Amino acid sequence: MPPPADIVKVAIQCPNTFPKLMEIDQKKPLSAIIKEVCEGWSLGNHENFALQNADSTNFYITEKNRNDIKNGSILHLTKSPYLTATELHEKIQSSSMDAKLESLKDLANASRDITFAQEFINLDGISLLTQMVESGTERYQKLQKIMKPCFGDLLSFTLTAFVELMDHDIVSWDTFSVAFIKKIASYVNKSAMDTAVLQRSLAILESMVLNSQDLYHKVAQEITIGQLIPHLQGTDQDIQTYTIAVINALFLKAPEEKRQEMAHILAQKQLRSIILSNVIRSPTPINDEMAHQLYVLQVLTFNLLEDRMMTKMDPQDQAQRDIIFELRRIAFDVECEPNNGGSIEKRKSMYTRDYKKLGFINHVNPAVDFTQIPPGMLALDNMLYFARHHQDAYIRIVLENSSREDKHECPFGRSSIELTKMLCEILKVGELPSENCHDFHPMFFTHDRSFEEFFCICIQLLNKTWKEMRATSEDFNKVMQVVREQIMRALTLKPNSLDQFKSRLQNLSYAEILKIRQSERMNQEDFQFRPILELREKIQPEIMELIKQQRLNRLCEGTCFRKISIRKRQDKFWYCRLSPNHKVLHYGDLEESPQGEVPHDSLQEKLPVADIKAVITGKDCPHMKEKAAQKQNKVLELAFSVLYESDEYLNFIAPDKHEYCVWTDGLNALLGKEMTSECTKSDMDTLLSMEMKLRLLDLENIQIPEAPPPIPKEPSNYDFVYDCN
């Protein structure tokens, strides 16, 4: 008979003794279990002992996580968290540098466990570490010269332990002194600093800025963007990532007036060129975290346009009206007439005529056109930039349209306003950056005024498309839809420069867009005739079975998942894969991200597929209800859990949307349920369309009737049948 569900068979190790096989009754208090284990080895004072996982994590077993113990698990009998924390607290204050170094190394490793971290923090361990950092820098540097590399760097272990302890969100960031902040900032400001120390110092500064407005002001006094630039010029992508993360944090928390100043520094050619040449165009492929930080920097930069985008023009403001006069002057090479030159009515008539040629909706007072928000004054800024910096193109567009027939002229003013609004929507100006997006565009890092240049390219595209479509004023919205599609398709190709973007737009003419639309329509719709629909229905189950097999094969290959953490960046991984016979899920923790597949035998944990009760997704997952997970609400769409036995879960956060779809589809397929993910629908459409085309190749250019031909009536006799005998 199988053992009761509450009995778990494990192996328990104890130093200097042989391991024992034991049965743990999960109904008993954990303290009673530890007491039994200690008595088995004749150990007294059982309250000084604890059980620990014998895997790479070495996390303590507590009442909260004891249900994670599985049959076949290996546990350690070790000192209690309190005892370990007390010993390390004493040893890191030792006068022996060797003992201190080894203790800090152990502390950095043990601090990953929240049970230990709580005990160490209760001993005022955070304060001790900050004091060591504040007072011990010179000794650390001397030690770094004389100690062997295998022992690591004492300062590095100190900062690592600090970062791990703060990661548990037990202590508030507001408790740290200015002296500690100055010391951490000094490590970042030094030209030659150990890589590990620099990385952890940057991580600490980023967390300080993001978690406390008061600390932002203190950090901003110690760190400038200019002092961070040298770290971007190196080749270590992790250091570059942390550096840009600090810049983004300073940018995000800065007050409005300071943010404009920072934006000016970021737009300067020196910093922009360094990011472009040393990061974006580096031979090292950009990883996901770096892509995310570049995306955040891009979003924060464009969000500075929000103020102008949401500012209405004041028709009575003479300075703003002068900008419109400047547009007229550049286009028609005229000066504003003095008040005594000609009659007022004549001047008004001349202005009205010119404003009509410029394409404003309100010919009498074009300032009214810019009272719509969005895009507000941002549209006028773009028009003035185009007129001044691309004067020939501006004059050509205005004069070209003013010489056309009224019904075919492309209104430059109206087009510019609507185009600016569209570009703001495409770039999501004013929206906060997403926590999981990596969608940055290299071309926006190639120019100091990238948004304005982006507009200049797109307004010329709009004029070109208008002519290709032979549009009239009634077609305005239709033209804008085509232009939006052209821009989106060109951006999808991720051009490396604005010139490359312009070149790709040239290839996306209106005729080409029509061809693409027709091709996509054929792919999506096929034919709607009854014979074709019947063939589709017949093929669909075959395609679904093919998708199911692909999903299960991917589960057999396995995927590396990141551990759930408050911080975005951490190096805690675990791997899960399905056995080849589709009967068992193998999973286990990893020291680092694997380069390929992880063998089944190296994954210690097992979950029989037969025990799986359900697959839960999104906010219903238990790990999405915890405090730390709530702060990362963007990961909800990547979270899923496997419910097994009565109330136990295996929790996942997929690395991306594709892996989320693969795993939820595969798990549902194992349970005999329908695969409903977006990827399944997309794959079904693609494969079904491809299969239909292959099967209908022989019928090309043959018209298929909407209904099958009628069956003729039986003949009155069969005398026409030839008798072969």
Side-chain angles (χ1 to χ4, degrees):
M1 290 180 62
D6 295 320
I7 302 298
V8 182
K9 294 184 177 182
V10 298
I12 299 181
Q13 298 174 333
C14 184
N16 305 318
T17 61
F18 290 106
K20 285 187 177 183
L21 295 176
M22 298 188 66
E23 291 186 353
I24 292 179
D25 186 350
Q26 293 284 39
K27 289 182 178 178
K28 289 185 177 181
L30 187 59
S31 57
I33 295 172
I34 294 172
K35 183 177 180 181
E36 288 180 14
V37 173
C38 290
E39 288 174 352
W41 272 299
S42 302
L43 297 173
N45 299 322
H46 69 274
E47 62 275 2
N48 292 334
F49 291 91
L51 291 175
Q52 208 174 35
N53 286 304
D55 54 18
S56 57
T57 64
N58 287 329
F59 286 172
Y60 283 100
I61 305 297
T62 65
E63 291 290 353
K64 289 183 179 180
N65 65 18
R66 61 182 296 177
N67 288 328
D68 294 336
I69 302 174
K70 310 299 177 190
N71 282 314
S73 297
I74 301 175
L75 307 179
H76 281 308
L77 182 66
T78 186
K79 294 175 184 176
S80 68
Y82 171 77
L83 209 58
T84 305
T86 304
E87 288 183 2
L88 287 176
H89 190 273
E90 293 174 359
K91 288 180 179 178
I92 62 175
Q93 302 178 70
S94 170
S95 58
S96 168
M97 283 300 177
D98 288 336
K100 178 178 285 193
L101 182 63
E102 196 62 31
S103 300
L104 281 168
K105 187 177 181 181
D106 292 339
L107 177 63
N109 184 57
S111 296
R112 295 178 299 155
D113 185 353
I114 190 170
T115 308
F116 169 85
Q118 186 69 67
E119 296 292 350
F120 189 79
I121 290 170
N122 289 342
L123 295 171
D124 210 16
I126 292 283
S127 297
L128 177 59
L129 291 177
T130 56
Q131 290 169 14
M132 291 171 65
V133 171
E134 290 173 16
S135 61
T137 307
E138 293 182 4
R139 285 182 294 153
Y140 289 175
Q141 291 174 341
K142 292 177 182 178
L143 180 66
Q144 191 173 0
K145 296 177 182 178
I146 61 174
M147 295 298 290
K148 295 180 180 179
C150 64
F151 286 101
D153 176 49
L154 189 148
L155 180 56
S156 171
F157 288 136
T158 305
L159 295 179
T160 301
F162 176 84
V163 169
E164 294 290 352
L165 291 167
M166 292 303 298
D167 186 29
H168 298 297
D169 202 24
I170 298 171
V171 178
S172 170
W173 284 94
D174 287 310
T175 58
F176 300 109
S177 66
V178 174
F180 179 72
I181 297 170
K182 286 178 178 290
K183 191 64 70 175
I184 297 297
S186 70
Y187 302 147
V188 173
N189 292 335
K190 286 183 180 176
S191 56
M193 178 54 69
D194 178 80
T195 302
V197 172
L198 177 58
Q199 189 180 93
R200 284 153 183 78
S201 298
L202 288 166
I204 291 169
L205 291 178
E206 182 201 7
S207 295
M208 284 180 172
V209 172
L210 291 177
N211 285 283
S212 170
Q213 191 66 33
D214 183 50
L215 287 182
Y216 156 74
H217 293 289
K218 295 175 181 177
V219 171
Q221 291 175 357
E222 303 298 327
I223 294 288
T224 64
I225 292 179
Q227 291 167 320
L228 294 171
I229 287 178
H231 303 314
L232 295 172
Q233 294 174 308
T235 57
D236 189 318
Q237 191 170 114
D238 287 336
I239 295 296
Q240 292 173 329
T241 303
Y242 278 92
T243 302
I244 295 179
V246 173
I247 293 174
N248 287 337
L250 291 169
F251 205 155
L252 191 63
K253 290 292 183 177
E256 185 60 35
E257 63 279 3
K258 184 72 174 177
R259 200 174 298 175
Q260 292 289 347
E261 180 186 329
M262 287 187 66
H264 178 68
I265 297 171
L266 290 172
Q268 288 179 356
K269 189 173 181 179
Q270 180 194 7
L271 178 57
R272 185 177 47 75
S273 299
I274 289 170
I275 293 176
L276 188 65
S277 58
N278 293 72
V279 178
I280 297 175
R281 294 178 179 172
S282 166
T284 307
I286 293 178
N287 59 34
D288 286 347
E289 185 57 35
M290 174 60 86
H292 173 70
Q293 294 300 338
L294 290 171
Y295 152 78
V296 172
L297 183 59
Q298 172 185 292
V299 171
L300 294 176
T301 304
F302 283 143
N303 279 356
L304 293 171
L305 302 170
E306 183 182 12
D307 183 53
R308 294 293 283 174
M309 181 182 77
M310 301 306 292
T311 300
K312 292 182 180 182
M313 184 172 184
D314 181 2
Q316 307 305 318
D317 189 318
Q318 188 58 43
Q320 295 179 359
R321 291 169 62 86
D322 287 346
I323 298 176
I324 299 177
F325 292 149
E326 177 74 357
L327 291 174
R328 174 178 175 268
R329 184 193 67 76
I330 295 173
F332 304 115
D333 194 24
V334 295
E335 297 294 338
C336 294
E337 292 81 1
N339 290 334
N340 58 1
S343 68
I344 295 176
E345 291 299 323
K346 184 178 179 180
R347 287 203 310 274
K348 282 185 176 180
S349 174
M350 187 166 51
Y351 283 148
T352 301
R353 181 198 65 202
D354 289 348
Y355 291 150
K356 183 179 180 182
K357 289 181 180 180
L358 281 169
F360 291 112
I361 298 173
N362 191 315
H363 306 151
V364 178
N365 185 8
V368 176
D369 289 11
F370 300 98
T371 57
Q372 173 194 349
I373 56 170
M377 288 296 292
L378 185 60
L380 187 59
D381 295 342
N382 283 338
M383 293 169 70
L384 183 62
Y385 181 90
F386 181 50
R388 286 178 173 173
H389 294 84
H390 300 270
Q391 194 170 109
D392 291 343
Y394 167 69
I395 294 172
R396 176 177 55 78
I397 287 176
V398 173
L399 297 184
E400 188 179 85
N401 284 289
S402 63
S403 62
R404 289 184 192 166
E405 297 179 29
D406 284 349
K407 64 177 183 178
H408 285 293
E409 63 183 13
C410 176
F412 172 73
R414 182 185 177 191
S415 299
S416 297
I417 292 169
E418 290 301 318
L419 179 63
T420 300
K421 182 180 178 181
M422 180 199 295
L423 298 183
C424 289
E425 290 172 356
I426 290 173
L427 297 176
K428 299 181 179 178
V429 174
E431 295 184 19
L432 288 174
S434 165
E435 291 185 13
N436 294 309
C437 187
H438 311 119
D439 190 23
F440 82 97
H441 295 279
M443 71 177 190
F444 291 129
F445 292 85
T446 62
H447 201 282
D448 298 346
R449 304 286 294 275
S450 58
F451 184 80
E452 289 86 346
E453 288 293 325
F454 185 43
F455 168 84
C456 294
I457 293 171
C458 293
I459 192 65
Q460 294 176 74
L461 167 73
L462 192 154
N463 188 65
K464 171 175 170 285
T465 302
W466 185 282
K467 289 188 291 183
E468 291 172 348
M469 294 177 66
R470 298 179 182 178
T472 63
S473 56
E474 289 81 8
D475 300 319
F476 186 84
N477 291 334
K478 184 179 176 182
V479 174
M480 295 304 294
Q481 289 172 2
V482 173
V483 170
R484 186 187 192 99
E485 186 173 344
Q486 290 170 314
I487 294 169
M488 293 299 292
R489 290 185 183 278
L491 285 176
T492 302
L493 300 172
K494 292 291 179 73
N496 290 317
S497 65
L498 290 163
D499 287 337
Q500 197 176 93
F501 173 69
K502 188 175 182 179
S503 174
R504 287 177 176 171
L505 286 176
Q506 292 294 327
N507 297 329
L508 287 170
S509 63
Y510 177 57
E512 184 64 25
I513 290 293
L514 289 179
K515 288 180 184 178
I516 294 172
R517 284 179 174 179
Q518 184 178 5
S519 174
E520 290 179 349
R521 194 157 47 240
M522 291 292 292
N523 288 339
Q524 293 170 4
E525 296 177 4
D526 293 317
F527 302 99
Q528 298 302 316
F529 302 131
R530 182 178 163 190
I532 304 299
L533 294 175
E534 289 178 354
L535 180 60
R536 284 173 63 94
E537 290 177 7
K538 182 180 178 182
I539 296 173
Q540 220 159 353
E542 301 174 16
I543 301 297
M544 186 58 75
E545 183 62 28
L546 183 65
I547 295 172
K548 175 182 174 182
Q549 291 303 318
Q550 187 272 340
R551 299 292 193 264
L552 294 176
N553 289 339
R554 276 290 293 107
L555 262 62
C556 289
E557 293 173 11
T559 300
C560 179
F561 298 93
R562 283 188 180 272
K563 288 268 190 177
I564 305 164
S565 175
I566 297 166
R567 286 183 294 129
K568 294 177 187 174
R569 292 180 304 279
Q570 13 78 35
D571 297 314
K572 300 172 184 177
F573 304 93
W574 68 289
Y575 199 88
C576 186
R577 64 182 298 181
L578 181 65
S579 63
N581 62 4
H582 300 172
K583 291 186 177 181
V584 178
L585 283 176
H586 297 265
Y587 62 97
D589 294 330
L590 301 176
E591 292 288 348
E592 57 186 5
S593 180
Q595 299 301 315
E597 291 184 20
V598 177
H600 293 93
D601 51 11
S602 64
L603 301 173
Q604 305 90 353
E605 308 291 345
K606 295 180 182 180
L607 173 59
V609 172
D611 291 347
I612 298 177
K613 306 298 181 186
V615 178
I616 302 167
T617 60
K619 62 182 180 182
D620 295 328
C621 298
H623 57 311
M624 289 296 101
K625 298 176 182 177
E626 298 171 0
K627 180 181 176 183
Q630 290 171 0
K631 295 183 179 180
Q632 304 183 40
N633 53 9
K634 295 291 185 181
V635 304
L636 280 173
E637 61 185 20
L638 300 178
F640 61 99
S641 299
V642 171
L643 170 65
Y644 60 97
E645 293 184 2
S646 57
D647 191 24
E648 296 191 23
Y649 297 88
L650 185 61
N651 298 319
F652 299 76
I653 291 184
D656 52 51
K657 191 67 177 176
H658 176 73
E659 287 295 322
Y660 170 84
C661 292
V662 166
W663 274 84
T664 52
D665 281 343
L667 291 169
N668 280 322
L670 288 172
L671 298 178
K673 296 182 179 179
E674 186 180 356
M675 299 184 294
T676 58
S677 74
E678 296 173 8
C679 291
T680 293
K681 294 174 184 175
S682 175
D683 291 348
M684 172 61 77
D685 291 342
T686 302
L687 294 172
L688 191 57
S689 174
M690 192 182 303
E691 184 68 18
M692 290 290 293
K693 288 179 179 178
L694 288 173
R695 296 202 184 193
L696 296 174
L697 275 178
D698 293 337
L699 297 178
E700 192 170 0
N701 298 324
I702 296 177
Q703 186 172 1
I704 301 172
E706 294 186 17
I711 300 174
K713 295 180 180 179
E714 290 190 19
S716 57
N717 62 70
Y718 291 89
D719 294 344
F720 59 86
V721 177
Y722 179 75
D723 188 356
C724 296
N725 296 325

